[in-house]
Amino acid sequence: MISGAVSLDLTLNGQPRSLDVDPRRRLSDVLRLDLGCEGVKVGCDAGDCGACTVLLDGEPVCACLVPAGRIGGCEIETVEGLARDGHLSRLQEAFLRKGAAQCGICTPGMLMAAEALLRRTPSPGIAEVEDALSGVLCRCTGYAKIVEAVCECAAALPPAIEAEAGAAVGARLDRLDGRPKVLGTDRFGADSWPAGTLLVRVLRSPHHHARFSFGDLDAFRRDNPGIRLVLTAADIPGRNLHGVIPPLADQPVFATNIARFKGEAVAAIVGERSVVEAFDPAAFPVAFEPLAPLLEPEAALAPDATPVHENRPDNVLVKGFVRRGEPEAALENADAVVEGSFSTGFVEHAYIEPEAGFARRVEGRIEVFACTQAPQMDREDLAAIMELPQEAIRIIPSSVGGGFGAKLDLSLQPYVALAAWLTNEPCGIVYSRGESMMSTTKRHPSRIVARIGAKSDGTLVGMTFDGVFNTGAYASWGPTVANRVPVHASGPYRMPAYQARATAVHTHTVPSGAFRGFGVPQSAVAQETLFDELADAVGMDRLAFRIRNALEAGDATVTGQSFSQGVGIRRCLEALLPDWEIRRKAAAAFNREGGVLRRGVGVAGMWYGCGNTSMSNPSTIRVGLKADGTLVLHQGAVDIGQGSNTVIAQICADALGLPVGRFTLLGADTDLTPDAGKTSASRQTFVTGAAALRAGRRLRERMLLRLNAGPQATLRLEGSTLLADGSAIDLAELAGEADAHGYVFAAEEMFDPPTTPLDANGQGEPYAAFGWGAHLAEIEVDLELGLLRVRDLVCAHDAGRAINPTLIEGQIEGGSAQGLGLALMEEFIPGRTENLHDYLIPTIGDVPRVRSILIEEPDAHGPYGAKGIGEQVLIPTAPAILNALRDATGIVIRDLPATPDKIHAALQRARTGGAR
Ligand code: FES
Ligand code: FES
């Protein structure tokens, strides 16, 4: 027996179990590591996220807070116990059917909390469900479909849709990868490691800016025999740098001598799990000498500021610029001009799955199984770091428990790869919640000044915009933000004269990177809230003002681009008109009653260019048919919960003309799937979907040619027989013709959206298509307390073609919840909010009802007209909420988040006649 261990008998999912265990260990760890229940997820180890929820004697508990010593004689139930004989429980079935699982990392915890409720209350109401699930966080769904699934699982569920050939696009199919998510068998980065995997632990700077030096590392190794390896920059065989934009790669795997942000890696230890877990980082021989940090762009831009990087002496990483017409003169001659200064802070992605994965050395190559949004980019960076050819690196993305942009950058991959390479044993890592929050990228904090003018009839005449974005210590996606923002800062409106600048500035803070919208949510706050003031200034209805100025087909954008089709903003705005009118009247009537509550209604519009800005971003899809009739889709677009595994298969199936259910999916794997690019910038449905469309059509052509059938023939696949109208081929007879992948028929097609570079004035065609949308928010605010509650959101989005409406609604509900967080509660402060109890994200009790209105204005490049949706859904929420607050109370908050204390202070100032 292990020293200090106790022997326990318990019942686990109905089966008697005995184990010897250290009574102080967390039940979550014991379930995962000792009892094989990896469906129990760990998001925080602190009782904040609820991902680890299990039933202990029938009651839901956070397993991370339960010491193993407490479970003797208890009955424990985990997600693994819900299905019987391979049949999903009704609750699991409901989650699948309703689209309640996106990334799926919160799903086991949600299911167990719901299971406890349903045993007590078989037909619960919404309030009971919200109450029962209030301890479990979900960052993807906005909770709406989870609540719906729990409420409706007592009723007869509709059967799963089995789309016929040609009927997959537009169908509300269950996620093709959904079953493992509701069973708890999906493999995330921390799951299914090889037995005996060594643990890696990264040692990080406790200071924002520090010089550091190591003590005697050889003596440390000698004195700590359980630690197999110590890694520092000196151990990196290749380039000690990585970065998502190769020419600007500047982030070291391990800092050398100088740490530039709190949480930067300086070294790592590798050893047996128990040794590494017990290691006290204070015992590591490293001495830090704190240096004065630059924490704000204002300080970093001061003429005498110390450069964060020697090669960027002014601390400016990059500047973006767009100019069209003569905005200064236009504003001078405008009938009304409004202006304002705005600020937003760091926003944390707060996915429930902290970064995790393992690597192993396989026959002279290195395999990395980890959460990522960008396997090909990981491979390129790792090859340079490891000084290996790219062919020697295999990236196998795990299921990703939420990404939202931060899992585009390398995080754990170099540490596990290096450790596995040097030890020749599998090596893994699971970031702690604090480590994840302090070391991975954030949404850029912004300082924005904007002026906008209009004629007295409400026609926009010009705008100037100046944004400074805190890009942190390293480049990450700072250039992308700086270049994207000026293109988008006008909003989706005709703006004849325009100038926008965006500057990404280095500071000694965690790198800012990609987060759903790449800076556009911040610029939309400025532009859309000023629009309300401008509409008021010219005496025009705020929604009518937007409709009047909305871009239409043939109009030039601020970069001079014009689309002859696919411009859906006007339809989105007009779709809000009925709610706008009814709800504003209702709010006014409510407010006339007096009391401490006021209601208000706000709207905001958005546009978002799908894919990279003025850069090639191709995707390739391969599809093939084997001699035994197996139809395989090589789908390399990483599904981080948004649904690409399903949507891309739907597109390819209809292009091919066979039922989507015939596909065997090969998920992203750099050895097995062609490069489908990164999952970012709302590009997977649009770009990879278009590649899937082409691949499906090409495969169909090849089959029909061989069958000697016409282009309209109906294809069928019966076992290993391929048929079209009157012709048939026994595929087995073609086995000798199989290609290198084993296919007797195959196609591989690429799509790269056409764009042109921007000139010195930012003129050009940066995107092949935009997504469009508009949100309406109805809020209620307590005048005494400053508490704001969003009652309802109505969200109209032009997705071009809704390939799977359930998945699009899920994006809208989840993205708008993140927008609500940006507006009202989320601000990451390095060193202060590095956990999920100080950093607040919307809970099930914070999110409003959301009504999605799907507009379909097809795009000529998109597959079946589809456009991206992932970033679009977050952008208008925050300004719509702020506009509703102003509508209700007259107060203006320009420093986000609009927390109750800020609202309260602004209300106080308004009451006492001070500045708003
Ligand atoms: S892991 Fe237990 S509550 Fe987060
Ligand atoms: S589905 Fe809930 S966190 Fe992703």
Side-chain angles (χ1 to χ4, degrees), residues 795-852:
C795 306
H797 281 278
D798 170 21
R801 175 78 166 107
I803 303 292
N804 186 323
T806 301
L807 297 180
I808 292 181
E809 288 164 4
Q811 288 296 292
I812 293 172
E813 290 155 6
S816 59
Q818 291 183 352
L820 182 150
L822 168 70
L824 301 178
M825 64 184 74
E826 297 189 38
E827 182 168 21
F828 175 79
I829 303 170
R832 283 176 47 196
T833 57
E834 292 165 350
N835 56 63
L836 291 175
H837 51 266
D838 292 315
Y839 186 87
L840 301 178
I841 64 172
T843 67
I844 203 166
D846 295 314
V847 295
R849 290 173 299 232
V850 177
R851 183 153 63 83
S852 300

Side-chain angles (χ1 to χ4, degrees), residues 571-595:
R571 286 179 64 191
C572 291
L573 291 164
E574 287 176 345
L576 300 181
L577 274 168
D579 278 278
W580 174 248
E581 281 160 16
I582 292 166
R583 288 167 189 269
R584 290 203 78 209
K585 278 194 193 120
F590 179 87
N591 293 343
R592 278 197 293 276
E593 298 294 313

Side-chain angles (χ1 to χ4, degrees), residues 415-628:
Y415 308 119
V416 293
L418 205 52
W421 190 252
L422 295 174
T423 60
N424 202 15
E425 292 189 52
C427 294
I429 196 167
V430 180
Y431 277 12
S432 69
R433 173 55 56 181
E435 187 175 26
S436 171
M437 292 180 76
M438 76 172 70
S439 69
T440 61
T441 61
K442 305 284 168 278
R443 181 182 296 289
H444 282 71
S446 65
R447 302 277 185 276
I448 290 168
V449 178
R451 293 185 80 210
I452 313 176
K455 290 190 210 167
S456 58
D457 66 357
T459 307
L460 286 164
V461 295
M463 174 175 180
T464 58
F465 175 100
D466 200 341
V468 173
F469 292 81
N470 181 353
T471 207
Y474 298 107
S476 182
W477 295 94
T480 309
V481 167
N483 287 317
R484 186 175 276 268
V485 164
V487 172
H488 287 80
S490 63
Y493 307 100
R494 284 184 297 276
M495 191 69 76
Y498 176 79
Q499 177 172 296
R501 292 180 193 278
T503 309
V505 178
H506 281 302
T507 60
H508 293 112
T509 56
V510 63
S512 300
F515 189 169
R516 222 168 184 170
F518 284 103
V520 180
Q522 296 95 307
S523 68
V525 164
Q527 169 261 313
E528 285 289 338
T529 57
L530 284 177
F531 265 32
D532 265 23
E533 296 180 36
L534 193 51
D536 289 357
V538 297
M540 204 169 163
D541 175 88
R542 298 164 193 161
L543 180 53
F545 176 82
R546 289 173 170 84
I547 292 171
R548 177 187 193 95
N549 290 291
L551 283 166
E552 298 198 43
D555 286 337
T557 69
V558 291
T559 70
Q561 186 170 14
S562 127
F563 292 92
S564 59
Q565 46 71 47
V567 181
I569 182 59
R570 187 184 179 101
R571 286 179 64 191
C572 291
L573 291 164
E574 287 176 345
L576 300 181
L577 274 168
D579 278 278
W580 174 248
E581 281 160 16
I582 292 166
R583 288 167 189 269
R584 290 203 78 209
K585 278 194 193 120
F590 179 87
N591 293 343
R592 278 197 293 276
E593 298 294 313
V596 297
L597 299 178
R598 290 288 180 278
R599 288 189 184 162
V601 185
V603 289
M606 63 70 55
W607 63 335
Y608 190 81
C610 303
N612 290 1
T613 309
S614 286
M615 279 169 61
S616 168
N617 62 139
S619 281
T620 302
I621 284 285
R622 179 187 305 141
V623 58
L625 181 63
K626 293 188 173 172
D628 64 359

Side-chain angles (χ1 to χ4, degrees), residues 129-199:
V129 174
E130 289 181 350
D131 189 44
L133 304 189
S134 60
V136 189
L137 294 175
C138 175
R139 191 55 156 167
C140 300
T141 64
Y143 305 98
K145 298 207 181 300
I146 294 172
V147 174
E148 206 180 315
V150 180
C151 285
E152 293 184 22
C153 89
L157 286 170
I161 293 174
E162 305 274 352
E164 297 293 317
V169 167
R172 291 179 179 270
L173 300 188
D174 290 356
R175 300 182 66 103
L176 300 183
D177 56 2
R179 213 178 142 81
K181 294 182 190 295
V182 300
L183 284 168
T185 55
D186 213 8
R187 281 184 76 203
F188 294 90
D191 300 333
S192 304
W193 289 6
T197 297
L198 299 175
L199 202 59

